[in-house]
Amino acid sequence: MAFLEFNNISKGYPGVQALASVSFTVEKGAVHGLMGENGAGKSTLIRVLSGDQAADDGSILIDGEEQKYASVRDAFHAGIVVIHQELQLVPELTVAENLWLGRFPAKGGVIQSKTLIETVRAKLEEVGIDVDPSAKVSSLSIGARQMIEIAKAVMLDARVIALDEPTSSLSSRESEILFSLIGRLKARGAVILYVSHRLDEIFRLCDSLTVLRDGKLAAHHPKIAETTREQIISEMVGREISNVWGWRERAPGDIRLEVKGLSGPRLRNPISFSVRQGEILGFFGLIGAGRSEMARLLYGADASDQGQVTIDSIAVSPNNPKAAIRAGMVLCPEDRKFDGIIQGRSIEENIAISSRRHFSPFGVLKPKMEAVQADQFIAKLRVRTPSRRQDIVNLSGGNQQKVILGRWLSEQGIKVLVIDEPTRGIDVGAKSEIYDILYELAAGGMAIVVISSELPEVMGICDRIMVMCQGRVAVNVARPDFDERSILTAALPDKNAAGTI
């Protein structure tokens, strides 16, 4: 019997029809997958469900009753919890305070701190989350913060829970805890909407599946066992993608980037490596291995203790991102929302912000030149947007990543691209497009460093892989020797030794 019903949901924004008459149902106690390319309408549908956005037309029914919410708060108190990919926690509050936010236990107007912490501790133990309730959220890893978000649904005994790319920041162990938790919530009768681009997870967890494309219902599968991966991908992108990685053989040139003895916080041993012109070097490791920390040290965003970085044999001033950029090295960071895009600004401004010094050496902006440049990169990188004036926060994750790439490509003389989690939370079609961009840049002689927690990604696109574990390089693997089991074994703590395989 249908417990959650979407009936002809439509939602439009200026220049974009995000949803067009989307209808499907989900049974009680089911895990329902929601898939589609970035920009297909998944996030908009979740916003409508959560009360964050009002539909232009259509209705949502839960257990036969039409739902009308004036705000996210109303939906939350009605038992609808949305766990966004971009976490909604308050960093300077404790874990317990975040989980009780807006409904603190109080007596005579005084918050009962002991009750608050004890209740949260019991709930966290119940679901297997090993976190101190009195710890500030700002002190936790991204993976731990994700688990705290998910604990909100347990605290509320939610009826409908939407999880948006929930494992994107989780380790394998944390993912298994999540999967176990989903099973328990399902057994209680909750409806789980599971939004993910990871087909392995979809087939493992979901009972049914809906696919959106361009804001419309592309397919609805009441029984996921009756479909295939190939069929789902075709429904998502509207075309066949035979090889999403599309690796292209190249003949690397001279050494372009050389790193000797780089060390700093979270790195146990100094790191040395080199990247040639036209080469794509991958860094793989589990969460906490030190990959992103290495990238920030390399770029100068964090201060290094020692080490030398050279580009085309010319030393780069340490601990200075401006010097790195002027030397020809740029970084696309792991966290697009906080470290990559400039929120509240247009696509045009996000692309132009780095190259303005070339257009405006005396501080006088040249809007016409910036507009022409933005249009060129929107076309070249196939950014899906109705206008260059669109606020970047309204773009999908894949299109935001393309805009960040456009910003750096607008720089003059870029020789080294460091890109951290290039396709996190990005659909299979956009992944293929971003990989094509990386291949084209490599073919032009750029040295590319790809940092990823997804082993299939680094094996699929890289010429060489350096595996990190507990703050050090465990092994350095050439493409002919790529082996999933060996690489993963090297990434596991206390089961590796430095060397080459």
Side-chain angles (χ1 to χ4, degrees):
M1 178 180 175
F3 183 76
L4 173 64
E5 301 178 52
F6 293 93
N7 294 323
N8 297 310
I9 301 295
S10 295
K11 177 66 180 178
Y13 301 99
V16 178
Q17 186 63 39
L19 294 170
S21 299
V22 172
S23 300
F24 64 92
T25 63
V26 186
E27 295 182 357
K28 187 173 185 178
V31 181
H32 186 83
L34 186 61
M35 298 194 76
E37 290 194 273
N38 287 95
K42 306 184 302 298
S43 296
T44 302
L45 188 67
I46 296 301
R47 290 192 189 106
V48 171
L49 172 67
S50 71
D52 183 43
Q53 298 281 333
D56 298 333
D57 196 14
S59 61
I60 297 175
L61 279 68
I62 298 179
D63 203 13
E65 294 185 9
E66 184 172 352
Q67 306 297 305
K68 293 184 178 180
Y69 307 122
S71 66
V72 172
R73 183 184 179 90
D74 289 346
F76 185 76
H77 286 291
I80 297 174
V81 175
V82 176
I83 312 299
H84 296 278
Q85 184 182 357
E86 296 169 346
L87 305 182
Q88 309 294 307
L89 299 172
V90 182
E92 293 309 308
L93 294 183
T94 67
V95 170
E97 289 166 342
N98 270 276
L99 291 176
W100 277 104
L101 197 60
R103 50 196 182 94
F104 288 124
K107 193 173 184 179
V110 178
I111 294 174
Q112 304 297 297
S113 299
K114 186 177 180 181
T115 300
L116 182 149
I117 291 176
E118 288 178 351
T119 303
V120 169
R121 179 174 282 111
K123 283 291 185 181
L124 294 177
E125 289 177 355
E126 176 187 332
V127 298
I129 299 175
D130 184 18
V131 175
D132 181 1
S134 60
K136 278 191 175 183
V137 164
S138 59
S139 69
L140 304 179
S141 67
I142 292 178
R145 296 184 199 188
Q146 179 77 294
M147 297 304 291
I148 297 307
E149 279 275 25
I150 293 164
K152 286 181 182 178
V154 180
M155 294 287 296
L156 192 66
D157 290 326
R159 297 190 296 167
V160 177
I161 304 155
L163 302 172
D164 188 1
E165 296 289 347
T167 62
S168 63
S169 300
L170 301 186
S171 66
S172 298
R173 176 183 171 277
E174 290 167 332
S175 294
E176 290 301 326
I177 293 173
L178 170 64
F179 299 156
S180 176
L181 174 56
I182 288 173
R184 277 180 246 164
L185 293 170
K186 175 181 173 180
R188 293 180 185 178
V191 165
I192 314 290
L193 280 180
Y194 196 87
V195 183
S196 179
H197 297 305
R198 299 181 177 182
L199 282 164
D200 287 345
E201 294 177 9
I202 292 291
F203 277 95
R204 174 177 175 176
L205 298 172
C206 297
D207 304 294
S208 51
L209 173 71
T210 293
V211 180
L212 300 181
R213 186 172 72 243
D214 298 328
K216 301 175 183 177
L217 185 73
H220 179 71
H221 300 284
K223 295 182 179 180
I224 197 168
E226 296 178 356
T227 187
T228 65
R229 295 164 185 260
E230 293 72 22
Q231 182 179 354
I232 292 170
I233 291 173
S234 179
E235 291 165 347
M236 285 174 57
V237 303
R239 62 189 187 279
E240 297 292 336
I241 295 182
S242 56
N243 182 359
V244 75
W245 314 116
W247 181 79
R248 303 171 191 174
E249 188 171 3
R250 293 171 304 280
D254 296 333
I255 291 176
R256 172 132 276 178
L257 169 69
E258 187 162 21
V259 179
K260 294 181 178 179
L262 183 66
S263 68
R266 302 285 296 274
L267 294 185
R268 288 176 58 186
N269 295 338
I271 288 179
S272 299
F273 64 92
S274 62
V275 191
R276 295 182 176 275
Q277 297 172 2
E279 184 181 21
I280 301 178
L281 171 64
F283 275 86
F284 171 74
L286 306 179
I287 290 174
R291 299 161 298 132
S292 295
E293 290 80 3
M294 182 280 298
R296 292 179 60 84
L297 291 171
L298 175 64
Y299 183 61
D302 292 335
S304 59
D305 299 330
Q306 62 180 9
Q308 184 182 50
V309 177
T310 60
I311 296 176
D312 288 347
S313 300
I314 299 174
V316 179
S317 298
N319 310 327
N320 188 336
K322 284 186 178 180
I325 294 170
R326 292 183 190 280
M329 177 167 56
V330 295
L331 169 67
C332 292
E334 175 185 20
D335 193 327
R336 285 190 295 271
K337 178 182 177 182
F338 290 103
D339 299 326
I341 66 171
I342 302 171
Q343 299 184 55
R345 299 289 184 173
S346 68
I347 295 170
E348 179 180 331
E349 290 175 290
N350 269 270
I351 290 175
I353 193 69
S354 178
S355 60
R356 274 180 172 165
R357 71 177 188 274
H358 303 305
F359 290 149
S360 313
F362 302 107
V364 179
L365 298 183
K366 297 184 178 180
K368 288 185 178 179
M369 293 181 69
E370 292 185 0
V372 170
Q373 174 185 256
D375 285 339
Q376 287 174 342
F377 281 107
I378 287 170
K380 180 179 180 179
L381 302 178
R382 298 183 290 279
V383 178
R384 296 181 184 177
T385 176
S387 166
R388 64 175 179 273
R389 298 184 181 88
Q390 176 85 298
D391 189 327
I392 194 168
V393 298
N394 293 328
L395 297 186
S396 65
N399 285 305
Q400 288 179 357
Q401 186 72 295
K402 291 177 184 178
V403 171
I404 296 171
L405 282 168
R407 173 193 305 161
W408 291 132
L409 296 181
S410 70
E411 272 285 337
Q412 297 176 8
I414 296 303
K415 301 174 181 178
V416 178
L417 169 66
V418 182
I419 185 164
D420 195 352
E421 299 290 0
T423 62
R424 172 177 285 172
I426 293 176
D427 63 81
V428 66
K431 279 185 178 183
S432 182
E433 292 177 345
I434 287 173
Y435 299 149
D436 283 343
I437 293 168
L438 297 182
Y439 296 143
E440 289 172 13
L441 295 175
M446 193 175 290
I448 299 177
V449 177
V450 171
I451 298 160
S452 178
S453 57
E454 294 190 32
L455 182 52
E457 179 166 73
V458 289
M459 289 181 66
I461 68 171
C462 295
D463 306 307
R464 188 161 48 92
I465 300 172
M466 300 189 78
V467 183
M468 293 193 69
C469 177
Q470 296 181 312
R472 68 173 186 264
V473 173
V475 293
N476 180 7
V477 194
R479 187 170 187 86
D481 300 318
F482 284 4
D483 176 77
E484 185 172 0
R485 184 173 181 177
S486 297
I487 292 173
L488 188 56
T489 299
L492 295 174
D494 302 323
K495 292 187 179 181
N496 57 75
T500 302
I501 59 173

